mmCIF file with all atom_site columns, all heavy atoms in Angstrom:
data_model
loop_
_atom_site.group_PDB
_atom_site.id
_atom_site.type_symbol
_atom_site.label_atom_id
_atom_site.label_alt_id
_atom_site.label_comp_id
_atom_site.label_asym_id
_atom_site.label_entity_id
_atom_site.label_seq_id
_atom_site.pdbx_PDB_ins_code
_atom_site.Cartn_x
_atom_site.Cartn_y
_atom_site.Cartn_z
_atom_site.occupancy
_atom_site.B_iso_or_equiv
_atom_site.pdbx_formal_charge
_atom_site.auth_seq_id
_atom_site.auth_comp_id
_atom_site.auth_asym_id
_atom_site.auth_atom_id
_atom_site.pdbx_PDB_model_num
ATOM 1   N N   . SER A 1 168 ? 43.318 10.632 25.360 1.00 0.00 ? 168 SER A N   1
ATOM 2   C CA  . SER A 1 168 ? 43.004 11.971 24.826 1.00 0.00 ? 168 SER A CA  1
ATOM 3   C C   . SER A 1 168 ? 41.645 12.409 25.343 1.00 0.00 ? 168 SER A C   1
ATOM 4   O O   . SER A 1 168 ? 40.726 11.587 25.476 1.00 0.00 ? 168 SER A O   1
ATOM 5   C CB  . SER A 1 168 ? 43.013 11.984 23.294 1.00 0.00 ? 168 SER A CB  1
ATOM 6   O OG  . SER A 1 168 ? 41.786 11.539 22.759 1.00 0.00 ? 168 SER A OG  1
ATOM 7   N N   . ASP A 1 169 ? 41.535 13.692 25.675 1.00 0.00 ? 169 ASP A N   1
ATOM 8   C CA  . ASP A 1 169 ? 40.255 14.194 26.178 1.00 0.00 ? 169 ASP A CA  1
ATOM 9   C C   . ASP A 1 169 ? 39.194 14.154 25.086 1.00 0.00 ? 169 ASP A C   1
ATOM 10  O O   . ASP A 1 169 ? 37.993 14.046 25.373 1.00 0.00 ? 169 ASP A O   1
ATOM 11  C CB  . ASP A 1 169 ? 40.401 15.605 26.769 1.00 0.00 ? 169 ASP A CB  1
ATOM 12  C CG  . ASP A 1 169 ? 41.160 16.567 25.873 1.00 0.00 ? 169 ASP A CG  1
ATOM 13  O OD1 . ASP A 1 169 ? 41.513 16.190 24.739 1.00 0.00 ? 169 ASP A OD1 1
ATOM 14  O OD2 . ASP A 1 169 ? 41.420 17.713 26.310 1.00 0.00 ? 169 ASP A OD2 1
ATOM 15  N N   . ILE A 1 170 ? 39.606 14.199 23.817 1.00 0.00 ? 170 ILE A N   1
ATOM 16  C CA  . ILE A 1 170 ? 38.647 14.079 22.711 1.00 0.00 ? 170 ILE A CA  1
ATOM 17  C C   . ILE A 1 170 ? 37.975 12.710 22.786 1.00 0.00 ? 170 ILE A C   1
ATOM 18  O O   . ILE A 1 170 ? 36.745 12.589 22.671 1.00 0.00 ? 170 ILE A O   1
ATOM 19  C CB  . ILE A 1 170 ? 39.340 14.204 21.337 1.00 0.00 ? 170 ILE A CB  1
ATOM 20  C CG1 . ILE A 1 170 ? 39.925 15.595 21.148 1.00 0.00 ? 170 ILE A CG1 1
ATOM 21  C CG2 . ILE A 1 170 ? 38.351 13.911 20.208 1.00 0.00 ? 170 ILE A CG2 1
ATOM 22  C CD1 . ILE A 1 170 ? 40.733 15.730 19.879 1.00 0.00 ? 170 ILE A CD1 1
ATOM 23  N N   . ASN A 1 171 ? 38.775 11.673 22.980 1.00 0.00 ? 171 ASN A N   1
ATOM 24  C CA  . ASN A 1 171 ? 38.257 10.313 23.019 1.00 0.00 ? 171 ASN A CA  1
ATOM 25  C C   . ASN A 1 171 ? 37.306 10.117 24.203 1.00 0.00 ? 171 ASN A C   1
ATOM 26  O O   . ASN A 1 171 ? 36.219 9.553  24.058 1.00 0.00 ? 171 ASN A O   1
ATOM 27  C CB  . ASN A 1 171 ? 39.416 9.329  23.109 1.00 0.00 ? 171 ASN A CB  1
ATOM 28  C CG  . ASN A 1 171 ? 38.963 7.887  22.996 1.00 0.00 ? 171 ASN A CG  1
ATOM 29  O OD1 . ASN A 1 171 ? 37.920 7.584  22.435 1.00 0.00 ? 171 ASN A OD1 1
ATOM 30  N ND2 . ASN A 1 171 ? 39.752 6.974  23.541 1.00 0.00 ? 171 ASN A ND2 1
ATOM 31  N N   . GLU A 1 172 ? 37.702 10.629 25.368 1.00 0.00 ? 172 GLU A N   1
ATOM 32  C CA  . GLU A 1 172 ? 36.834 10.470 26.533 1.00 0.00 ? 172 GLU A CA  1
ATOM 33  C C   . GLU A 1 172 ? 35.524 11.237 26.339 1.00 0.00 ? 172 GLU A C   1
ATOM 34  O O   . GLU A 1 172 ? 34.443 10.748 26.670 1.00 0.00 ? 172 GLU A O   1
ATOM 35  C CB  . GLU A 1 172 ? 37.543 10.948 27.808 1.00 0.00 ? 172 GLU A CB  1
ATOM 36  C CG  . GLU A 1 172 ? 36.695 10.683 29.045 1.00 0.00 ? 172 GLU A CG  1
ATOM 37  C CD  . GLU A 1 172 ? 37.349 11.120 30.347 1.00 0.00 ? 172 GLU A CD  1
ATOM 38  O OE1 . GLU A 1 172 ? 38.515 11.576 30.314 1.00 0.00 ? 172 GLU A OE1 1
ATOM 39  O OE2 . GLU A 1 172 ? 36.678 11.007 31.397 1.00 0.00 ? 172 GLU A OE2 1
ATOM 40  N N   . PHE A 1 173 ? 35.616 12.452 25.823 1.00 0.00 ? 173 PHE A N   1
ATOM 41  C CA  . PHE A 1 173 ? 34.436 13.270 25.554 1.00 0.00 ? 173 PHE A CA  1
ATOM 42  C C   . PHE A 1 173 ? 33.479 12.524 24.610 1.00 0.00 ? 173 PHE A C   1
ATOM 43  O O   . PHE A 1 173 ? 32.261 12.452 24.848 1.00 0.00 ? 173 PHE A O   1
ATOM 44  C CB  . PHE A 1 173 ? 34.869 14.602 24.927 1.00 0.00 ? 173 PHE A CB  1
ATOM 45  C CG  . PHE A 1 173 ? 33.760 15.610 24.758 1.00 0.00 ? 173 PHE A CG  1
ATOM 46  C CD1 . PHE A 1 173 ? 33.560 16.618 25.700 1.00 0.00 ? 173 PHE A CD1 1
ATOM 47  C CD2 . PHE A 1 173 ? 32.932 15.573 23.643 1.00 0.00 ? 173 PHE A CD2 1
ATOM 48  C CE1 . PHE A 1 173 ? 32.550 17.563 25.526 1.00 0.00 ? 173 PHE A CE1 1
ATOM 49  C CE2 . PHE A 1 173 ? 31.917 16.499 23.469 1.00 0.00 ? 173 PHE A CE2 1
ATOM 50  C CZ  . PHE A 1 173 ? 31.730 17.501 24.419 1.00 0.00 ? 173 PHE A CZ  1
ATOM 51  N N   . SER A 1 174 ? 34.035 11.942 23.571 1.00 0.00 ? 174 SER A N   1
ATOM 52  C CA  . SER A 1 174 ? 33.229 11.230 22.572 1.00 0.00 ? 174 SER A CA  1
ATOM 53  C C   . SER A 1 174 ? 32.589 9.975  23.160 1.00 0.00 ? 174 SER A C   1
ATOM 54  O O   . SER A 1 174 ? 31.438 9.634  22.839 1.00 0.00 ? 174 SER A O   1
ATOM 55  C CB  . SER A 1 174 ? 34.079 10.858 21.351 1.00 0.00 ? 174 SER A CB  1
ATOM 56  O OG  . SER A 1 174 ? 34.606 12.027 20.743 1.00 0.00 ? 174 SER A OG  1
ATOM 57  N N   . GLN A 1 175 ? 33.331 9.274  24.010 1.00 0.00 ? 175 GLN A N   1
ATOM 58  C CA  . GLN A 1 175 ? 32.777 8.080  24.669 1.00 0.00 ? 175 GLN A CA  1
ATOM 59  C C   . GLN A 1 175 ? 31.602 8.453  25.568 1.00 0.00 ? 175 GLN A C   1
ATOM 60  O O   . GLN A 1 175 ? 30.564 7.776  25.576 1.00 0.00 ? 175 GLN A O   1
ATOM 61  C CB  . GLN A 1 175 ? 33.862 7.379  25.483 1.00 0.00 ? 175 GLN A CB  1
ATOM 62  C CG  . GLN A 1 175 ? 34.890 6.654  24.645 1.00 0.00 ? 175 GLN A CG  1
ATOM 63  C CD  . GLN A 1 175 ? 35.962 5.995  25.499 1.00 0.00 ? 175 GLN A CD  1
ATOM 64  O OE1 . GLN A 1 175 ? 36.084 6.281  26.695 1.00 0.00 ? 175 GLN A OE1 1
ATOM 65  N NE2 . GLN A 1 175 ? 36.760 5.122  24.895 1.00 0.00 ? 175 GLN A NE2 1
ATOM 66  N N   . LEU A 1 176 ? 31.744 9.531  26.322 1.00 0.00 ? 176 LEU A N   1
ATOM 67  C CA  . LEU A 1 176 ? 30.665 9.992  27.188 1.00 0.00 ? 176 LEU A CA  1
ATOM 68  C C   . LEU A 1 176 ? 29.449 10.433 26.377 1.00 0.00 ? 176 LEU A C   1
ATOM 69  O O   . LEU A 1 176 ? 28.298 10.186 26.762 1.00 0.00 ? 176 LEU A O   1
ATOM 70  C CB  . LEU A 1 176 ? 31.152 11.153 28.058 1.00 0.00 ? 176 LEU A CB  1
ATOM 71  C CG  . LEU A 1 176 ? 32.207 10.805 29.115 1.00 0.00 ? 176 LEU A CG  1
ATOM 72  C CD1 . LEU A 1 176 ? 32.820 12.057 29.695 1.00 0.00 ? 176 LEU A CD1 1
ATOM 73  C CD2 . LEU A 1 176 ? 31.600 9.953  30.225 1.00 0.00 ? 176 LEU A CD2 1
ATOM 74  N N   . LEU A 1 177 ? 29.713 11.032 25.238 1.00 0.00 ? 177 LEU A N   1
ATOM 75  C CA  . LEU A 1 177 ? 28.637 11.516 24.371 1.00 0.00 ? 177 LEU A CA  1
ATOM 76  C C   . LEU A 1 177 ? 27.791 10.356 23.849 1.00 0.00 ? 177 LEU A C   1
ATOM 77  O O   . LEU A 1 177 ? 26.567 10.489 23.693 1.00 0.00 ? 177 LEU A O   1
ATOM 78  C CB  . LEU A 1 177 ? 29.229 12.307 23.208 1.00 0.00 ? 177 LEU A CB  1
ATOM 79  C CG  . LEU A 1 177 ? 28.267 12.894 22.187 1.00 0.00 ? 177 LEU A CG  1
ATOM 80  C CD1 . LEU A 1 177 ? 27.319 13.880 22.845 1.00 0.00 ? 177 LEU A CD1 1
ATOM 81  C CD2 . LEU A 1 177 ? 29.044 13.565 21.053 1.00 0.00 ? 177 LEU A CD2 1
ATOM 82  N N   . ARG A 1 178 ? 28.428 9.227  23.617 1.00 0.00 ? 178 ARG A N   1
ATOM 83  C CA  . ARG A 1 178 ? 27.703 8.056  23.088 1.00 0.00 ? 178 ARG A CA  1
ATOM 84  C C   . ARG A 1 178 ? 26.840 7.364  24.142 1.00 0.00 ? 178 ARG A C   1
ATOM 85  O O   . ARG A 1 178 ? 25.964 6.578  23.808 1.00 0.00 ? 178 ARG A O   1
ATOM 86  C CB  . ARG A 1 178 ? 28.687 7.052  22.480 1.00 0.00 ? 178 ARG A CB  1
ATOM 87  C CG  . ARG A 1 178 ? 29.327 7.524  21.180 1.00 0.00 ? 178 ARG A CG  1
ATOM 88  C CD  . ARG A 1 178 ? 30.065 6.396  20.482 1.00 0.00 ? 178 ARG A CD  1
ATOM 89  N NE  . ARG A 1 178 ? 31.236 5.966  21.220 1.00 0.00 ? 178 ARG A NE  1
ATOM 90  C CZ  . ARG A 1 178 ? 32.460 6.463  21.039 1.00 0.00 ? 178 ARG A CZ  1
ATOM 91  N NH1 . ARG A 1 178 ? 32.646 7.434  20.161 1.00 0.00 ? 178 ARG A NH1 1
ATOM 92  N NH2 . ARG A 1 178 ? 33.482 5.997  21.727 1.00 0.00 ? 178 ARG A NH2 1
ATOM 93  N N   . GLN A 1 179 ? 27.112 7.666  25.407 1.00 0.00 ? 179 GLN A N   1
ATOM 94  C CA  . GLN A 1 179 ? 26.333 7.053  26.482 1.00 0.00 ? 179 GLN A CA  1
ATOM 95  C C   . GLN A 1 179 ? 24.995 7.753  26.658 1.00 0.00 ? 179 GLN A C   1
ATOM 96  O O   . GLN A 1 179 ? 24.851 8.931  26.308 1.00 0.00 ? 179 GLN A O   1
ATOM 97  C CB  . GLN A 1 179 ? 27.136 7.109  27.788 1.00 0.00 ? 179 GLN A CB  1
ATOM 98  C CG  . GLN A 1 179 ? 28.437 6.342  27.771 1.00 0.00 ? 179 GLN A CG  1
ATOM 99  C CD  . GLN A 1 179 ? 29.258 6.569  29.029 1.00 0.00 ? 179 GLN A CD  1
ATOM 100 O OE1 . GLN A 1 179 ? 28.774 7.154  30.009 1.00 0.00 ? 179 GLN A OE1 1
ATOM 101 N NE2 . GLN A 1 179 ? 30.500 6.101  29.008 1.00 0.00 ? 179 GLN A NE2 1
ATOM 102 N N   . ALA A 1 180 ? 24.047 7.033  27.229 1.00 0.00 ? 180 ALA A N   1
ATOM 103 C CA  . ALA A 1 180 ? 22.776 7.676  27.585 1.00 0.00 ? 180 ALA A CA  1
ATOM 104 C C   . ALA A 1 180 ? 23.070 8.785  28.594 1.00 0.00 ? 180 ALA A C   1
ATOM 105 O O   . ALA A 1 180 ? 23.850 8.576  29.535 1.00 0.00 ? 180 ALA A O   1
ATOM 106 C CB  . ALA A 1 180 ? 21.818 6.654  28.193 1.00 0.00 ? 180 ALA A CB  1
ATOM 107 N N   . PRO A 1 181 ? 22.489 9.968  28.405 1.00 0.00 ? 181 PRO A N   1
ATOM 108 C CA  . PRO A 1 181 ? 22.835 11.087 29.278 1.00 0.00 ? 181 PRO A CA  1
ATOM 109 C C   . PRO A 1 181 ? 22.471 10.868 30.736 1.00 0.00 ? 181 PRO A C   1
ATOM 110 O O   . PRO A 1 181 ? 21.372 10.423 31.058 1.00 0.00 ? 181 PRO A O   1
ATOM 111 C CB  . PRO A 1 181 ? 22.044 12.263 28.685 1.00 0.00 ? 181 PRO A CB  1
ATOM 112 C CG  . PRO A 1 181 ? 20.955 11.644 27.870 1.00 0.00 ? 181 PRO A CG  1
ATOM 113 C CD  . PRO A 1 181 ? 21.511 10.341 27.380 1.00 0.00 ? 181 PRO A CD  1
ATOM 114 N N   . THR A 1 182 ? 23.430 11.163 31.597 1.00 0.00 ? 182 THR A N   1
ATOM 115 C CA  . THR A 1 182 ? 23.199 11.168 33.046 1.00 0.00 ? 182 THR A CA  1
ATOM 116 C C   . THR A 1 182 ? 23.856 12.441 33.582 1.00 0.00 ? 182 THR A C   1
ATOM 117 O O   . THR A 1 182 ? 24.698 13.044 32.910 1.00 0.00 ? 182 THR A O   1
ATOM 118 C CB  . THR A 1 182 ? 23.837 9.951  33.737 1.00 0.00 ? 182 THR A CB  1
ATOM 119 O OG1 . THR A 1 182 ? 25.277 10.025 33.576 1.00 0.00 ? 182 THR A OG1 1
ATOM 120 C CG2 . THR A 1 182 ? 23.333 8.640  33.146 1.00 0.00 ? 182 THR A CG2 1
ATOM 121 N N   . ILE A 1 183 ? 23.485 12.813 34.781 1.00 0.00 ? 183 ILE A N   1
ATOM 122 C CA  . ILE A 1 183 ? 24.104 13.997 35.382 1.00 0.00 ? 183 ILE A CA  1
ATOM 123 C C   . ILE A 1 183 ? 25.607 13.802 35.499 1.00 0.00 ? 183 ILE A C   1
ATOM 124 O O   . ILE A 1 183 ? 26.397 14.719 35.202 1.00 0.00 ? 183 ILE A O   1
ATOM 125 C CB  . ILE A 1 183 ? 23.468 14.282 36.758 1.00 0.00 ? 183 ILE A CB  1
ATOM 126 C CG1 . ILE A 1 183 ? 22.063 14.864 36.573 1.00 0.00 ? 183 ILE A CG1 1
ATOM 127 C CG2 . ILE A 1 183 ? 24.342 15.259 37.567 1.00 0.00 ? 183 ILE A CG2 1
ATOM 128 C CD1 . ILE A 1 183 ? 21.331 15.155 37.857 1.00 0.00 ? 183 ILE A CD1 1
ATOM 129 N N   . GLU A 1 184 ? 26.012 12.610 35.881 1.00 0.00 ? 184 GLU A N   1
ATOM 130 C CA  . GLU A 1 184 ? 27.443 12.355 36.076 1.00 0.00 ? 184 GLU A CA  1
ATOM 131 C C   . GLU A 1 184 ? 28.237 12.474 34.776 1.00 0.00 ? 184 GLU A C   1
ATOM 132 O O   . GLU A 1 184 ? 29.267 13.162 34.733 1.00 0.00 ? 184 GLU A O   1
ATOM 133 C CB  . GLU A 1 184 ? 27.648 10.962 36.670 1.00 0.00 ? 184 GLU A CB  1
ATOM 134 C CG  . GLU A 1 184 ? 29.106 10.647 36.976 1.00 0.00 ? 184 GLU A CG  1
ATOM 135 C CD  . GLU A 1 184 ? 29.296 9.271  37.597 1.00 0.00 ? 184 GLU A CD  1
ATOM 136 O OE1 . GLU A 1 184 ? 28.284 8.628  37.936 1.00 0.00 ? 184 GLU A OE1 1
ATOM 137 O OE2 . GLU A 1 184 ? 30.450 8.832  37.723 1.00 0.00 ? 184 GLU A OE2 1
ATOM 138 N N   . ASN A 1 185 ? 27.758 11.821 33.695 1.00 0.00 ? 185 ASN A N   1
ATOM 139 C CA  . ASN A 1 185 ? 28.587 11.856 32.487 1.00 0.00 ? 185 ASN A CA  1
ATOM 140 C C   . ASN A 1 185 ? 28.512 13.211 31.775 1.00 0.00 ? 185 ASN A C   1
ATOM 141 O O   . ASN A 1 185 ? 29.483 13.620 31.112 1.00 0.00 ? 185 ASN A O   1
ATOM 142 C CB  . ASN A 1 185 ? 28.275 10.692 31.533 1.00 0.00 ? 185 ASN A CB  1
ATOM 143 C CG  . ASN A 1 185 ? 26.892 10.700 30.966 1.00 0.00 ? 185 ASN A CG  1
ATOM 144 O OD1 . ASN A 1 185 ? 26.260 11.741 30.795 1.00 0.00 ? 185 ASN A OD1 1
ATOM 145 N ND2 . ASN A 1 185 ? 26.366 9.505  30.648 1.00 0.00 ? 185 ASN A ND2 1
ATOM 146 N N   . ARG A 1 186 ? 27.390 13.919 31.900 1.00 0.00 ? 186 ARG A N   1
ATOM 147 C CA  . ARG A 1 186 ? 27.328 15.248 31.278 1.00 0.00 ? 186 ARG A CA  1
ATOM 148 C C   . ARG A 1 186 ? 28.189 16.261 32.053 1.00 0.00 ? 186 ARG A C   1
ATOM 149 O O   . ARG A 1 186 ? 28.791 17.143 31.466 1.00 0.00 ? 186 ARG A O   1
ATOM 150 C CB  . ARG A 1 186 ? 25.881 15.731 31.163 1.00 0.00 ? 186 ARG A CB  1
ATOM 151 C CG  . ARG A 1 186 ? 25.068 15.201 29.966 1.00 0.00 ? 186 ARG A CG  1
ATOM 152 C CD  . ARG A 1 186 ? 25.867 14.442 29.014 1.00 0.00 ? 186 ARG A CD  1
ATOM 153 N NE  . ARG A 1 186 ? 25.187 14.011 27.807 1.00 0.00 ? 186 ARG A NE  1
ATOM 154 C CZ  . ARG A 1 186 ? 25.455 12.883 27.188 1.00 0.00 ? 186 ARG A CZ  1
ATOM 155 N NH1 . ARG A 1 186 ? 26.354 12.049 27.692 1.00 0.00 ? 186 ARG A NH1 1
ATOM 156 N NH2 . ARG A 1 186 ? 24.871 12.561 26.066 1.00 0.00 ? 186 ARG A NH2 1
#
Side-chain angles (χ1 to χ4, degrees):
S168 83
D169 49 4
I170 296 175
N171 186 24
E172 185 179 356
F173 187 97
S174 299
Q175 287 179 347
L176 292 168
L177 180 61
R178 289 192 292 269
Q179 297 173 10
T182 65
I183 286 178
E184 183 179 351
N185 64 29
R186 278 353 185 213

